């Protein structure tokens, strides 16, 4: 049996291989295995401005899938969103509406949302962060309309009414878009934007102006290109793409590549849930009230253009009557506590993958510590301290085992030198020494294995939490979500990693001893490009581990000894 340092070495090596495997999966266009936010980068160009996702066709039958669109989950849907054939339309105009948090751009063509600017969130270059956008380089819009006939939809030019700015003292702002009569039906969209909110109430009033009953269906959809986000890191990946949530199947992310390959599997029908477009730190979503039956669909609309949406029936409307269908649109940062209040399950757009059961309590504890300390950097350090206290006795057992290994290491080294030509006898003698000294060479491995899931969970908490964006710590650290601009924290982390390695007993095998230094140093290099908050976490963990190990060694009478590398 090998000594504990070999075990720890393989743990570090294995974790590094996990990271490399995930990145290899992403590079080859596959879904990451262990870090589920990873995604392949899309290489196709976004459509030119004005390219329509699903423009109407006056000849489209109400039960057909749009021509040119690759149907996926909704291929067998009895009512598909209008097709892609272009039809001439009157000129439209952009309407910009501003609240205390949002600057929303509407298009009178369809009354669609074609731009969202967050006034309290800054982009990397210092301007307000823009999520939805329709430009020559990007297309990311929210649309809705009617199907089941030649009814008003997101290509119908509508008239605008309402205020364009939230007035002082007012709690909300209401804007309306009213379509002309089309096949005996008018559609009025009423958007209610509230102070201090990122979610927008959207009421669709369907008015029958004809002489016969009508029973249209309402669709809502999010359409965006699959282009790579600006500023994405090459050293860690996060998910970008559609997502669907239902009570039955819970949260389900959908890769753009799976849509291309027609490999999407989602609930086709539900009476609850939402559809969303997710990216790092931010998301948008359409939500229909619970209890309303809806069909869900995901499809490729055009080259590098994708849609996710829902279709809800509208009860038969007699002539001269009207029916209203309520919906909610959200576009904003992934603040978990806020998302929980907007809709059930919406907080899952902040995806922790299979470690959600650990990550959510860690996030809650982190927010509580921030409430006390009012600084996210100090809150991260305090959280690490709490975790170390929670694992203190377990970790102490591991360090005690390592201290015993360090104490008998000279005896092991001498034995290995004496029996180097007889490997079988060497192993037997090593086991005898372990028994006599009452040392378990695996004793230091178990605490490390237990803490790895906690590290990965906290990794995703810190990487996914939008609260870290623009959050300062001290001095030169003005943004915990960005790498240290002067690489001071990564250098400190590397030094603490080297010190921690030096305090551990050296493996008897010279090659293992070299690898014991090479692997942690290679692992440290990755952190030069990681967000400062993650590096701060690792430094704090290193320093506390060094202090704990030093105290245990002193208590057990193991003299201070630094095992420095010997590269020859």
């Amino acid at each position: 049996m090998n000594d504990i340092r070999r075990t720890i070495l393989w743990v570090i090596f294995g974790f590094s291989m996990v990271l490399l495997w995930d990145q290899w999966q992403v590079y080859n266009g596959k879904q990451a295995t262990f870090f589920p936010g990873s995604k392949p980068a899309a290489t196709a160009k976004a459509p030119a401005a004005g390219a329509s996702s699903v423009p109407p066709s006056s000849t489209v039958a109400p039960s057909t899938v749009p021509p040119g669109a690759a149907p996926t989950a909704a291929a067998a849907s009895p009512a598909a969103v209008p097709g892609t054939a272009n039809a001439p339309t009157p000129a439209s105009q952009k309407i910009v509406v501003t609240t205390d948090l949002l600057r929303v751009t509407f298009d009178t063509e369809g009354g669609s949302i074609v731009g969202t600017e967050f006034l309290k969130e800054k982009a990397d270059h210092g301007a307000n962060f823009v999520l939805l956008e329709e430009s020559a380089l990007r297309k990311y819009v929210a649309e809705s309309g009617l199907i089941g006939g030649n009814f008003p939809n997101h290509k119908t030019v509508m008239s605008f009414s309402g205020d364009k700015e939230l007035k002082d003292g007012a709690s909300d702002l209401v804007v309306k878009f009213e379509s002309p009569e089309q096949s005996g039906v008018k559609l009025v969209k009423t958007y209610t934007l509230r102070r201090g909110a990122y979610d927008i109430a959207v009421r669709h009033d369907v008015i029958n102006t004809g002489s016969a009953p009508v029973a249209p269906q309402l669709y809502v959809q999010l359409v965006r290109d699959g282009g790579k986000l600006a500023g994405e890191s090459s050293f860690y990946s996060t998910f970008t793409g559609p997502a669907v949530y239902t009570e039955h199947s819970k949260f389900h992310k959908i890769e753009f590549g799976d849509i291309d390959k027609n490999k999407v599997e989602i609930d086709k029908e539900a009476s609850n849930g939402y559809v969303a477009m997710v990216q790092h730190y931010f998301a948008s979503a359409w939500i229909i009230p619970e209890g309303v039956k809806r069909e869900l669909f995901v499809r490729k609309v055009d080259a590098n253009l994708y849609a996710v949406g829902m279709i809800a029936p509208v009860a038969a409307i007699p002539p001269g009557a009207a029916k209203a269908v309520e919906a909610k649109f959200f576009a904003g940062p992934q603040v978990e506590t806020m998302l929980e209040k907007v809709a059930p399950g919406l907080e899952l757009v902040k995806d922790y993958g299979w470690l959600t059961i650990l990550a959510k309590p860690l996030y809650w504890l982190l927010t509580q510590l921030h409430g006390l300390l009012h600084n996210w950097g100090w809150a991260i350090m305090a959280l690490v301290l709490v975790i170390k206290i929670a694992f203190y006795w377990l970790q102490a057992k591991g360090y005690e085992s390592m201290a015993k290994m360090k104490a008998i290491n000279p005896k092991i080294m001498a034995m290995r030198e004496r029996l180097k030509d007889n490997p079988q006898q060497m192993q037997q003698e090593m086991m005898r020494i372990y028994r006599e000294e009452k040392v378990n060479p695996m004793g230091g491995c178990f605490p490390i294995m237990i803490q790895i899931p906690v590290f990965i969970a906290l990794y995703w908490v810190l990487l996914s939490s939008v609260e870290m964006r623009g959050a300062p710590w001290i001095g030169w650290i003005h943004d915990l979500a960005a790498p240290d601009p002067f690489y001071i924290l990564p250098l400190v982390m590397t030094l603490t990693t080297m010190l921690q390695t030096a305090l551990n007993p050296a493996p008897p095998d010279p090659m293992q001893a070299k690898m014991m230094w090479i692997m942690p140093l290679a692992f440290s290099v990755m952190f030069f490009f990681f967000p400062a908050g993650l590096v701060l976490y690792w430094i704090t963990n290193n320093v506390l581990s060094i202090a704990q190990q030093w105290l245990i060694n002193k208590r057990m009478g193991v003299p201070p000894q630094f095992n420095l590398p010997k590269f020859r």
Side-chain angles (χ1 to χ4, degrees):
M1 181 176 288
N2 297 320
D3 62 306
I4 185 59
R5 287 311 307 154
R6 176 181 292 185
T7 304
I8 293 176
L9 175 63
W10 279 110
V11 169
I12 296 173
F13 178 76
F15 186 71
S16 300
M17 290 301 99
V18 166
L19 293 173
L20 291 173
W21 171 258
D22 264 37
Q23 290 304 307
W24 184 86
Q25 292 281 81
V26 171
Y27 178 80
N28 285 276
K30 301 176 182 179
Q31 170 69 39
T33 305
F34 295 96
F35 294 94
S38 301
K39 70 170 189 69
T43 57
K45 295 182 180 179
S52 175
S53 58
V54 278
S57 170
S58 59
T59 60
V60 173
S63 300
T64 60
V65 176
T72 58
S77 171
V81 178
T84 59
N86 288 317
T89 57
S92 62
Q93 59 178 321
K94 301 295 192 294
I95 306 294
V96 179
V97 174
T98 306
T99 70
D100 58 325
L101 296 181
L102 290 168
R103 182 171 291 123
V104 182
T105 302
F106 295 92
D107 193 333
T108 56
E109 182 179 74
S112 301
I113 298 177
V114 297
T116 54
E117 183 180 339
F118 304 142
L119 306 183
K120 299 296 177 68
E121 298 286 344
K122 299 298 180 183
D124 293 338
H125 49 77
N128 294 332
F129 186 86
V130 174
L131 185 62
L132 274 68
E133 180 183 5
E134 189 172 36
S135 67
L137 298 177
R138 290 191 60 208
K139 186 178 180 72
Y140 184 178
V141 297
E143 302 168 336
S144 63
L146 300 175
I147 55 174
N150 186 24
F151 301 136
N153 54 46
H154 68 272
K155 298 302 292 181
T156 304
V157 175
M158 302 181 178
S159 59
F160 165 80
S161 63
D163 294 327
K164 295 184 179 180
E165 188 168 354
L166 183 64
K167 297 178 180 178
D168 292 340
S171 60
D172 56 38
L173 183 156
V174 178
V175 297
K176 290 186 178 182
F177 293 89
E178 183 174 341
S179 78
E181 181 275 332
Q182 194 167 321
S183 298
V185 172
K186 289 178 65 175
L187 175 62
V188 180
K189 298 184 184 182
T190 304
Y191 294 88
T192 303
L193 296 80
R194 296 179 295 115
R195 183 180 296 276
Y198 286 97
D199 56 297
I200 303 172
V202 187
R203 190 178 76 245
H204 298 83
D205 290 299
V206 185
I207 306 167
N208 185 352
T209 60
S211 57
V214 293
Q217 293 173 300
L218 174 75
Y219 68 88
V220 294
Q221 65 178 5
L222 296 163
V223 181
R224 73 164 292 164
D225 63 81
K228 186 175 181 179
L229 297 176
E232 276 193 336
S233 173
S234 300
F235 291 88
Y236 58 87
S237 297
T238 54
F239 175 76
T240 299
V244 172
Y245 174 86
T246 63
E247 281 293 330
H248 177 263
S249 297
K250 302 304 180 183
F251 185 73
H252 183 65
K253 298 180 300 185
I254 303 158
E255 297 284 350
F256 290 131
D258 289 338
I259 302 175
D260 290 334
K261 299 171 186 175
N262 198 21
K263 291 184 177 180
V264 176
E265 294 184 5
I266 61 172
D267 289 342
K268 294 181 180 180
E269 295 182 351
S271 58
N272 49 56
Y274 60 83
V275 296
M277 283 285 183
V278 182
Q279 66 185 60
H280 195 199
Y281 294 134
F282 300 95
S284 63
W286 273 112
I287 304 140
I288 295 178
E290 290 195 38
V292 177
K293 290 186 177 181
R294 79 285 310 267
E295 301 174 29
L296 299 102
F297 65 89
V298 182
R299 63 176 182 167
K300 185 174 183 178
V301 176
D302 204 344
N304 198 39
L305 195 62
Y306 305 88
V308 59
M310 298 180 287
I311 301 171
V314 179
I317 307 172
K323 293 283 177 114
V325 180
E326 301 288 347
K328 188 183 293 184
F329 173 73
F330 170 85
Q334 296 173 11
V335 179
E336 200 167 323
T337 52
M338 174 184 67
L339 295 171
E340 291 173 346
K341 298 174 183 177
V342 174
L346 189 59
E347 74 278 5
L348 296 176
V349 297
K350 184 182 177 183
D351 183 33
Y352 300 128
W354 59 282
L355 286 171
T356 298
I357 193 172
L358 292 175
K360 287 182 75 68
L362 288 174
Y363 172 78
W364 177 86
L365 184 55
L366 181 64
T367 57
Q368 299 304 305
L369 291 170
H370 176 261
L372 294 173
L373 302 173
H374 306 290
N375 181 291
W376 286 108
W378 297 121
I380 291 170
M381 298 178 72
L383 178 59
V384 177
L385 178 61
V386 171
I387 293 173
K388 296 298 288 186
I389 292 172
F391 283 105
Y392 177 82
W393 295 110
L394 184 65
Q395 187 71 65
K397 292 294 183 183
Y399 286 144
E400 286 173 5
S401 178
M402 292 169 65
K404 291 178 181 178
M405 288 293 298
K406 196 169 187 177
I408 69 170
N409 202 44
K411 185 184 294 188
I412 295 289
M413 295 291 287
M415 182 273 296
R416 289 178 66 92
E417 181 64 26
R418 187 176 72 253
L419 301 175
K420 61 183 178 181
D421 296 326
N422 193 337
Q424 184 175 356
Q425 186 179 353
M426 182 194 301
Q427 290 296 323
Q428 293 173 351
E429 183 68 14
M430 189 179 299
M431 293 298 295
R432 184 188 64 79
I433 295 173
Y434 287 155
R435 284 195 301 269
E436 289 180 356
E437 299 291 341
K438 297 180 180 180
V439 173
N440 180 3
M442 298 296 291
C445 178
F446 182 68
I448 294 176
M449 296 300 293
I450 288 293
Q451 292 180 73
I452 283 178
V454 177
F455 163 72
I456 297 175
L458 187 52
Y459 168 91
W460 277 107
V461 168
L462 298 179
L463 186 63
S464 303
S465 295
V466 69
E467 292 89 342
M468 302 299 149
R469 292 186 79 251
W473 177 42
I474 58 172
W476 73 103
I477 301 297
H478 304 294
D479 186 354
L480 287 168
D484 183 340
F486 303 111
Y487 302 108
I488 296 174
L489 289 181
L491 285 171
V492 173
M493 182 204 148
T494 301
L495 292 174
T496 58
T497 301
M498 294 172 65
L499 177 58
Q500 191 174 19
T501 304
L503 286 172
N504 293 326
D509 183 72
M511 181 58 68
Q512 290 181 33
K514 293 177 182 179
M515 290 298 294
M516 187 182 76
W517 283 91
I518 292 173
M519 289 305 300
L521 288 174
F523 189 68
S524 298
V525 170
M526 298 171 56
F527 279 77
F528 275 73
F529 308 95
F530 272 39
L534 280 171
V535 183
L536 180 61
Y537 155 71
W538 197 255
I539 291 173
T540 308
N541 185 68
N542 279 358
V543 170
L544 293 176
S545 296
I546 290 168
Q548 186 180 8
Q549 187 174 357
W550 189 284
L551 289 173
I552 289 173
N553 286 348
K554 184 177 180 181
R555 190 185 70 191
M556 297 187 66
V558 179
Q561 180 182 355
F562 294 95
N563 298 307
L564 300 177
K566 298 177 182 179
F567 297 105
R568 291 194 293 267

